Amino acid sequence: MTAAADRAAVTPEASAALQVHIRRGAAVAAFMVPRRANQTVLDVVTEIQRDQDPTLAYRFACRVGMCGSCGMTVNGRPRWTCRTRVAAVAPDGVLTLEPLRNLPVVKDLAVDMEPFFEKWRRAHGYFEPGENPPDDFATVEPESPARQEVDAGIECINCGVCYAACDLVTWNPDYLGPAALNRAWTLVNDVRDRDGAGRLAAVAGDAGCHSCHSHMSCTEHCPKGLSPTFSIAGLKRETGKAALRRFWRRG
């Protein structure tokens, strides 16, 4: 598509209006919002809250795709609303907004992220320097295999989109989820960390990495283009190796 054609595709007629349906608890509220050029879904929600219903609850911060706090379900798909153009997801002029799946709803489009971060902790998703960390900085060669493995998931900002997209979390609420397991994988490959054995044990249980069915919904929906599925596959390999080491030690 040419640049001129692309501009035409996202420039609505002056008379166009957008039908917006917002999930609010058990009910769905309907709003009409003018179509605007280069309009994002977050622009639409903000306009509704400011001009039509000040009680509408939602969450956002940076508006430029840096914080990840504006995640919502947009026409059935979890997305960052600040980076989602209305023209791309609602060509028919109908927009349905719901809170992210798999998380408790605080109000309207705002969800409680506490269960998400609790699983992050259960997966030992925090750096452990050990009782006697070295005095000097560790040297991490950019081209080393471990550093390359970390590169696959280190840019995660814990927005929760992959967690909302994961069907396994829906089926099994105890499952740690792709974001927590992705974080565990980056730390397993961090040469400075001292909790490798404990972390592998934490992610090897019934609700850990081996529960993943590799549907790749997390990879498909990640706004940053990361692949938690790749990270989970790495954890499966490393937990398997750890189990074999324990077996041979007992033998």
Side-chain angles (χ1 to χ4, degrees):
M1 181 180 291
T2 65
D6 185 59
R7 284 195 298 271
V10 298
T11 303
E13 298 179 6
S15 60
L18 183 68
Q19 299 178 43
V20 186
H21 305 283
I22 299 181
R23 170 68 61 182
R24 307 188 74 176
V28 176
F31 302 90
M32 296 295 290
V33 177
R35 295 293 296 268
R36 307 182 192 281
N38 303 316
Q39 187 178 34
T40 68
V41 174
L42 184 57
D43 291 335
V44 170
V45 178
T46 300
E47 183 168 351
I48 291 172
Q49 199 266 351
R50 289 178 177 175
D51 298 339
Q52 300 187 44
D53 189 344
T55 69
L56 178 63
Y58 65 107
R59 188 178 286 129
F60 76 97
C62 72
R63 301 182 69 93
V64 293
M66 293 295 291
C67 70
S69 63
C70 67
M72 302 173 199
T73 303
V74 181
N75 284 359
R77 182 185 178 99
R79 296 177 178 274
W80 287 352
T81 53
C82 69
R83 287 227 173 156
T84 301
R85 297 287 181 91
V86 171
V89 296
D92 58 353
V94 179
L95 195 62
T96 300
L97 305 178
E98 301 168 282
L100 292 177
R101 289 196 311 155
N102 300 330
L103 290 163
V105 177
V106 178
K107 182 185 177 185
D108 300 336
L109 300 171
V111 295
D112 182 2
M113 297 291 289
E114 178 59 27
F116 174 87
F117 287 110
E118 175 57 32
K119 291 181 179 180
W120 205 71
R121 290 188 287 268
R122 282 170 47 196
H124 290 210
Y126 44 84
F127 179 76
E128 178 52 69
E131 294 184 4
N132 298 297
D135 294 331
D136 201 1
F137 292 107
T139 301
V140 181
E141 296 295 338
E143 302 303 321
S144 66
R147 185 62 180 83
Q148 294 298 311
E149 295 284 4
V150 170
D151 276 346
I154 201 170
E155 298 298 327
C156 173
I157 60 173
N158 293 302
C159 66
V161 165
C162 66
Y163 189 86
C166 181
D167 290 328
L168 187 56
V169 175
T170 305
W171 302 332
N172 179 11
D174 291 331
Y175 177 54
L176 292 174
L181 293 171
N182 177 78
R183 172 61 177 170
W185 176 241
T186 66
L187 290 170
V188 163
N189 289 284
D190 192 327
V191 298
R192 304 165 299 172
D193 186 82
R194 299 294 182 270
D195 189 33
R199 187 170 295 107
L200 288 176
V203 302
D206 292 340
C209 61
H210 295 284
S211 294
C212 175
H213 293 180
S214 300
H215 288 173
M216 298 192 71
S217 293
C218 54
T219 298
E220 177 186 351
H221 291 82
C222 177
K224 294 185 70 67
L226 306 180
S227 179
T229 308
F230 175 91
S231 301
I232 294 169
L235 289 176
K236 290 178 180 179
R237 293 193 302 270
E238 293 304 315
T239 53
K241 292 176 184 178
L244 285 174
R245 288 193 294 268
R246 290 194 300 271
F247 174 79
W248 288 117
R249 283 198 298 267
R250 287 198 297 269

